[in-house]
């Protein structure tokens, strides 16, 4: 096992495309870190650079205490699971899992022991003689994982390993991955575009956008203290509500002006504004569960119209039209919320986010 | 009365079945007719002809194995058989190797790939008779190669004093036939193998790379086993072609006939269609056996390559 350090990592393709810009990440030994972001944010490129499948254009990659920029993939102590699994279709499950060891010229007896161990760990007992084409999607996924695990990698790299599975299986494999991580305590770097997957699995999340690092933090940090509007909108489902408007200084405190309406901002935002906000144009962000909704007029509230309700079973959401945009507000399930009525929204204490536009 | 009813019942059922499956029957009919016209009838008459003995162009006896007996005793046939076998043994693997090299080359991305691909496909576009005529011009007595070696061109050193008669020496004449054959048919092998290569996903190689597999190991553990279906297509098709090869040896090595040339000799020159057909039947049987053996070997090879 080993930690991993990315120092000012860059990736510039020969055609001039700057895929990864100045990335700094410090990953501790045994940590489960997810790289998330929309397609094209450079997360897979970063993973491939760590794997050695893509050259590093600039910066330093340290695996353990070794500078690994120019080390061959096989000597980096990594193993990778590909999105398409990349199983060898002509080999049996056992041969697939044992391939890496066979290449390393490990003794046959040990290879067979390792294969048995992997089949057992991944609940694939009795499938060793099958070909990948005879397996279900979830089983193939586990074979791909087994093929990586038998190599005893110091760092395990997973590239969207669950994206080809159906929703139910994905949640099951998520738990399975967590169990394996707990059991093996290996360092895992996990690439996904699914923020829910990243939230449930990781110790820390790295949010990326267009090759740039947006925020690193624990799931609760990125959820509760998003560094910018992008992270706030990307993490969480349903996403955070945003209201665009103007910031006006009023003595010690600030007033938020949107579409002719005004809202007095709570005083605890003062420091945040001083620290982060540049200019007058700002965006307020509040998560759906952080609104208090009331039918009675409240002083200093955001006014809107209740339009429709959505039921998810465990939660209900009501869409409130404010400023010709719909905000989503969580309400008690089965509450028969009255529609087409004027409602008053007040954000809960300390659950108010403000970002530069 | 009862049986008559039953018969009618059956007939009705049959008609009903025809109606129900009429679309299926109509779509299968062309294929069925094709097989009858071009396979069953041809094979039947070939067999019938091979069992008829001729003398001086006249039918002598039918339903006899005299033709086969004559062939087995014939020194010329046995030599031709061995010659053909050697021709097959050299041509087929050679076409596989040249095709594979071409396919791997084209499968790589580089500038002017399209141009190179067109050039490599060129032999297919040239009529075979032109290819053979060109080879004949090059290698015949007083041809360009001989003149070249004898130092008649100022830019090439003189290598030999005496004229080499390429086409009057068995090994050389057949060698030149093989050269022509391989050159002409490599594009076909190449295209089949290229299709096979392109069906192997890049990620498999990447996965192998992270596990430390070298290029050579990749070739033997991934490329080759996954290419086995394409390789067997190439070997089967090319070996069949080689067994029944005619035009190159006919023009370039007429004195050293292979089986295809021998068929022409019996049929056209000796007015003996019976014996010619018998050679044809033997050729079919040999090809069937050869193909079966080849497939068996390839299956063994594949399972050997992917063992743990």
């Amino acid at each position: 096992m080993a930690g991993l350090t990315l120092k000012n990592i860059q990736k510039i393709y020969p055609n001039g495309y700057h895929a990864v810009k100045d990335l700094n990440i410090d990953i501790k030994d045994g940590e489960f870190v997810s790289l998330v972001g929309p397609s094209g944010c450079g997360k897979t490129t970063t993973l491939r650079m760590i794997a050695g499948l893509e050259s590093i254009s600039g910066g330093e990659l340290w695996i353990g205490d070794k500078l690994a920029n120019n080390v061959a993939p096989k000597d980096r102590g990594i193993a990778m699971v590909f999105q398409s699994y990349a199983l060898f279709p002509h080999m049996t499950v056992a041969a697939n899992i044992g391939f890496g060891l066979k290449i390393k010229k490990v003794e046959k007896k040990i290879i067979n022991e390792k294969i048995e161990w992997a089949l057992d760990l991944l609940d694939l007992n009795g499938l060793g003689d099958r070909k990948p084409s005879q397996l279900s999607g979830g089983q193939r996924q586990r074979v791909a994982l087994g093929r990586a695990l038998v190599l005893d990698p110091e760092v395990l790299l997973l590239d969207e390993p669950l994206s080809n599975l159906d929703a139910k299986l994905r949640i099951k494999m998520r738990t399975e991955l967590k169990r394996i991580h707990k059991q093996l305590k290996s360092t895992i770097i996990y690439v996904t575009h699914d923020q829910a997957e990243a939230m449930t699995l990781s110790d820390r999340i790295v949010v990326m956008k267009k090759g740039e690092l947006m925020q690193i933090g624990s799931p609760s940090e990125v959820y509760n203290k998003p560094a910018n509007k992008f992270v706030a909108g990307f993490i969480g489902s349903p996403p955070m509500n945003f209201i665009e408007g103007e910031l006006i200084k009023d003595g010690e405190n600030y007033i938020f002006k949107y579409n002719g309406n005004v809202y007095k901002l709570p005083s605890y935002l003062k420091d945040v504004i001083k620290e982060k906000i540049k200019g007058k144009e700002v965006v307020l962000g509040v998560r759906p569960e952080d609104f208090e909704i009331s039918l009675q007029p409240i002083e200093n509230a955001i006014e809107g119209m209740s339009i429709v309700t959505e039921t998810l079973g465990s939660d209900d959401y009501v869409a409130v039209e404010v400023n010709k945009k719909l905000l989503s507000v969580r309400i008690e399930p089965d509450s028969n919320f009255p529609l087409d009525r004027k409602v008053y929204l007040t954000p809960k204490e300390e659950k108010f986010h403000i970002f530069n536009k | 009365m009862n049986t008559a009813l039953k018969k009618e019942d059956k007939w009705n059922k049959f008609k009903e079945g025809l109606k129900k499956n009429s679309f299926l029957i109509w779509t299968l009919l062309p294929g069925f007719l094709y097989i009858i016209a071009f396979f069953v009838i041809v094979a039947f008459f070939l067999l019938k002809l091979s069992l008829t003995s001729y003398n001086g162009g006249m039918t002598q006896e039918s339903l006899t194995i005299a033709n086969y007996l004559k062939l087995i005793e014939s020194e010329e046939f046995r030599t031709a058989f061995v010659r053909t076998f050697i021709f097959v043994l050299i041509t087929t693997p050679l076409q596989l190797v040249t095709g594979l090299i071409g396919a791997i080359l084209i499968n790589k991305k580089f500038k002017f790939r399209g141009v190179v691909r067109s050039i490599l496909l060129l032999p297919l576009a040239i009529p075979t008779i032109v290819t053979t005529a060109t080879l004949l011009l090059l290698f015949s007595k007083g041809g360009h190669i001989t003149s070249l070696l004898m130092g008649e061109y100022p830019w090439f050193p003189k290598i030999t004093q005496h004229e080499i008669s390429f086409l009057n020496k068995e090994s050389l004449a057949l060698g030149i036939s093989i050269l022509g054959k391989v050159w002409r048919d490599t594009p076909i092998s190449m295209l089949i193998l290229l299709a096979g290569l392109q069906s192997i996903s890049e990620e498999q190689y990447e996965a192998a790379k992270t596990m430390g597999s070298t290029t050579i190991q990749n070739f033997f553990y991934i490329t080759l086993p996954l290419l086995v279906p394409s390789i067997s297509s190439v070997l089967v098709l090319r070996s069949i072609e080689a067994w029944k090869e005619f035009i190159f040896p006919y023009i370039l090595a007429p004195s050293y006939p292979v089986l295809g040339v021998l068929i022409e000799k019996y049929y056209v020159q000796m007015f003996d269609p019976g014996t010619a057909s018998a050679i044809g039947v033997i050729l079919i049987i040999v090809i069937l056996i050869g193909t079966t053996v080849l497939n068996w070997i390839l299956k063994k090879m594949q399972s050997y390559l992917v063992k743990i």
Side-chain angles (χ1 to χ4, degrees):
Chain A
M1 304 300 136
L4 200 81
T5 307
L6 280 72
K7 257 192 213 159
N8 308 92
I9 289 287
Q10 310 264 355
K11 178 70 197 180
I12 304 165
Y13 282 105
N15 63 10
Y17 181 65
H18 208 153
V20 175
K21 295 166 196 158
D22 212 20
L23 199 59
N24 286 292
I25 309 174
D26 210 352
I27 296 165
K28 286 192 277 294
D29 186 9
E31 203 174 16
F32 195 127
V33 172
S34 293
L35 307 180
V36 285
S39 335
C41 73
K43 55 193 192 297
T44 296
T45 308
T46 307
L47 195 76
R48 289 170 62 85
M49 281 194 282
I50 296 171
L53 294 172
E54 208 80 67
S55 65
I56 297 169
S57 315
E60 291 175 359
L61 169 71
W62 293 81
I63 299 176
D65 48 8
K66 215 165 55 180
L67 183 65
N69 278 36
N70 295 314
V71 176
K74 68 179 165 91
D75 300 323
R76 293 189 182 198
I78 52 105
M80 182 157 167
V81 175
F82 291 78
Q83 183 174 8
S84 67
Y85 314 145
L87 295 178
F88 306 122
H90 53 291
M91 295 182 199
T92 61
V93 167
N96 261 292
I97 294 175
F99 183 77
L101 298 170
K102 181 184 172 184
I103 291 294
K104 290 197 160 81
K105 299 215 164 63
V106 175
E107 224 177 295
K108 228 177 178 167
K109 204 178 127 234
I110 299 172
I111 295 184
N112 287 328
E113 277 170 18
K114 277 266 179 187
I115 292 171
E116 282 306 311
W117 168 81
L119 291 175
D120 198 47
L121 177 78
L122 298 164
D123 201 16
L124 290 166
N125 287 313
L127 298 178
D129 293 330
R130 301 258 186 104
K131 290 272 176 71
S133 58
Q134 295 165 302
L135 301 180
S136 69
Q139 287 167 336
R140 278 182 220 178
Q141 211 285 318
R142 278 177 279 162
V143 174
L145 200 56
R147 193 173 64 176
L149 288 176
V150 291
L151 297 171
D152 290 326
E154 299 192 32
V155 182
L156 183 59
L157 308 172
L158 306 173
D159 184 10
E160 308 227 9
L162 306 184
S163 62
N164 288 343
L165 303 178
D166 62 67
K168 213 170 152 187
L169 201 56
R170 204 177 305 161
I171 289 169
K172 189 177 162 238
M173 281 307 295
R174 220 147 76 178
T175 322
E176 196 78 346
L177 267 178
K178 215 147 190 194
R179 175 180 71 84
I180 290 165
H181 178 236
K182 200 178 141 201
Q183 191 173 338
L184 301 178
K185 297 182 178 63
S186 38
T187 310
I188 295 181
I189 303 178
Y190 188 97
V191 161
T192 178
H193 62 267
D194 181 350
Q195 54 88 23
E197 223 167 85
M199 294 286 281
T200 46
L201 281 169
S202 345
D203 299 323
R204 279 197 302 159
I205 296 177
V206 176
V207 187
M208 292 175 74
K209 180 195 173 191
K210 288 183 182 162
E212 277 176 273
L213 178 71
M214 294 283 114
Q215 189 174 4
I216 307 182
S218 69
S220 83
E221 268 168 19
V222 275
Y223 188 80
N224 293 318
K225 290 190 182 107
N228 52 39
K229 191 187 162 206
F230 174 79
V231 176
F234 191 77
I235 302 285
S237 171
M240 188 183 275
N241 298 301
F242 294 116
I243 311 165
E244 293 180 6
E246 235 176 84
L247 204 60
I248 295 164
K249 192 146 182 160
D250 175 37
E252 273 290 285
N253 291 326
Y254 289 90
I255 288 176
F256 180 65
K257 198 172 157 199
Y258 64 101
N259 206 28
N261 302 315
V262 288
Y263 179 78
K264 269 189 224 151
L265 294 177
S267 56
Y268 64 82
L269 276 175
K270 226 165 39 188
D271 299 334
V272 182
I273 291 170
K274 253 182 212 151
E275 195 182 314
K276 283 203 317 192
I277 303 300
K278 297 173 192 95
K280 275 168 81 180
E281 308 261 295
V282 291
V283 179
L284 282 193
V286 183
R287 293 204 182 274
E289 67 268 28
D290 294 336
F291 271 127
E292 303 274 12
I293 188 165
S294 163
L295 292 163
Q296 264 73 51
I298 292 175
E299 210 188 317
N300 195 30
I302 296 162
E303 287 173 32
M305 289 288 283
S306 60
I307 304 291
V308 286
T309 53
E310 288 171 21
T311 305
L312 294 183
S314 58
D315 295 305
D316 281 13
Y317 292 88
V318 59
V320 176
E321 192 184 302
V322 176
N323 210 1
K324 284 190 187 132
K325 270 189 184 163
L326 290 180
L327 304 185
S328 165
V329 179
R330 189 164 82 183
I331 51 172
E332 286 289 302
D334 301 323
S335 57
N336 271 330
F337 197 86
L339 299 180
D340 298 317
R341 292 273 302 272
K342 202 156 198 183
V343 292
Y344 301 87
L345 303 172
T346 42
K348 288 179 189 164
E349 191 78 1
E350 301 282 340
K351 296 286 186 186
F352 218 139
H353 306 280
I354 187 160
F355 307 108
N356 288 308
K357 196 180 170 185
Chain B
M1 167 97 190
N2 215 345
T3 47
L5 250 177
K6 256 189 187 168
K7 251 189 183 170
E8 201 169 303
D9 206 40
K10 264 192 180 168
W11 175 239
N12 278 338
K13 256 193 184 164
F14 178 69
K15 275 206 288 191
E16 214 171 272
L18 273 187
K19 242 186 200 169
K20 232 185 192 170
N21 297 317
S22 62
F23 178 73
L24 210 64
I25 291 167
W26 279 112
T27 45
L28 282 178
L29 200 63
F32 193 64
L33 289 177
Y34 175 84
I35 289 175
I36 290 185
F38 289 101
F39 188 76
V40 178
I41 294 177
V42 172
F44 172 77
F45 279 104
L46 181 73
L47 201 64
K48 193 182 161 218
L49 211 55
S50 78
L51 293 173
T52 311
S53 70
Y54 287 80
N55 196 353
M58 304 291 280
T59 315
Q60 205 175 40
E61 204 182 335
S62 50
L63 280 181
T64 165
I65 54 164
N67 291 331
Y68 292 95
L69 291 176
K70 189 168 86 189
L71 280 176
I72 290 168
E73 274 169 27
S74 149
E75 180 69 36
E76 189 186 25
F77 172 77
R78 275 181 289 173
T79 329
F81 187 90
V82 173
R83 202 177 279 136
T84 314
F85 190 52
I86 293 169
F87 187 84
V88 172
L89 278 187
I90 298 175
T91 318
T92 315
L94 209 56
Q95 283 187 358
L96 178 70
V97 172
T98 52
L100 195 58
I101 292 170
I104 289 174
L105 185 74
I106 291 186
N107 200 32
K108 292 243 173 0
K109 279 193 186 109
F110 56 90
K111 251 188 181 177
F112 308 120
R113 179 161 78 157
V115 179
V116 173
R117 176 156 36 194
S118 306
I119 290 172
L120 285 176
L121 289 181
L122 212 57
L124 272 187
I126 297 170
T128 316
I129 196 70
V130 174
T131 311
T132 41
T134 311
L135 284 170
L136 199 62
L137 270 175
L138 283 173
F139 288 103
S140 64
K141 225 170 172 190
H144 291 294
I145 301 288
T146 314
S147 313
L148 190 75
L149 294 178
M150 286 174 72
E152 284 177 24
Y153 296 109
W155 48 268
F156 198 83
K158 188 171 177 173
I159 286 178
T160 170
Q161 291 280 357
H162 309 282
E163 190 168 2
I164 307 165
S165 45
F166 286 100
L167 302 181
N168 291 329
K169 203 163 173 253
E170 185 173 356
S171 55
L172 284 177
L174 281 174
I176 292 164
S177 306
I178 289 171
L179 181 78
K181 176 82 178 154
V182 171
W183 184 79
R184 219 246 357 210
D185 286 350
T186 291
I188 301 173
S189 323
M190 190 183 78
L191 287 180
I192 296 173
L193 293 166
L194 184 65
L197 278 180
Q198 286 179 340
S199 70
I200 304 174
S201 80
E202 191 56 36
E203 285 201 332
Q204 287 186 40
Y205 293 113
E206 289 188 337
K209 195 176 167 193
T210 61
M211 292 180 226
S213 185
T214 61
T215 314
I216 293 169
Q217 282 171 323
N218 277 349
F219 181 77
F220 281 104
Y221 290 135
I222 300 171
T223 313
L224 208 52
L226 285 174
L227 268 189
V228 164
S230 317
I231 289 174
S232 47
S233 304
V234 168
L235 289 182
V236 167
L237 288 174
R238 295 296 94 210
S239 66
I240 291 173
E241 276 283 318
W243 273 110
K244 60 193 187 65
E245 178 54 28
F246 172 70
I247 185 76
F248 284 103
Y250 180 70
I251 303 281
L252 297 168
S255 329
Y256 316 104
V258 293
L259 289 179
V261 176
L262 212 56
I263 292 177
E264 190 268 356
K265 186 180 167 189
Y266 273 104
Y267 195 92
V268 178
Q269 293 173 30
M270 294 166 72
F271 305 106
D272 189 352
T275 311
S277 311
I279 300 175
V281 172
I282 292 170
L283 210 46
I284 291 174
I285 293 167
V286 168
I287 287 173
L288 284 177
I289 295 171
T291 310
T292 315
V293 171
L294 203 60
N295 276 328
W296 181 79
I297 293 172
L298 284 165
K299 232 178 185 169
K300 285 271 151 199
M301 187 188 96
Q302 191 183 25
S303 59
Y304 174 78
L305 282 172
V306 300
K307 257 196 329 205
I308 304 164

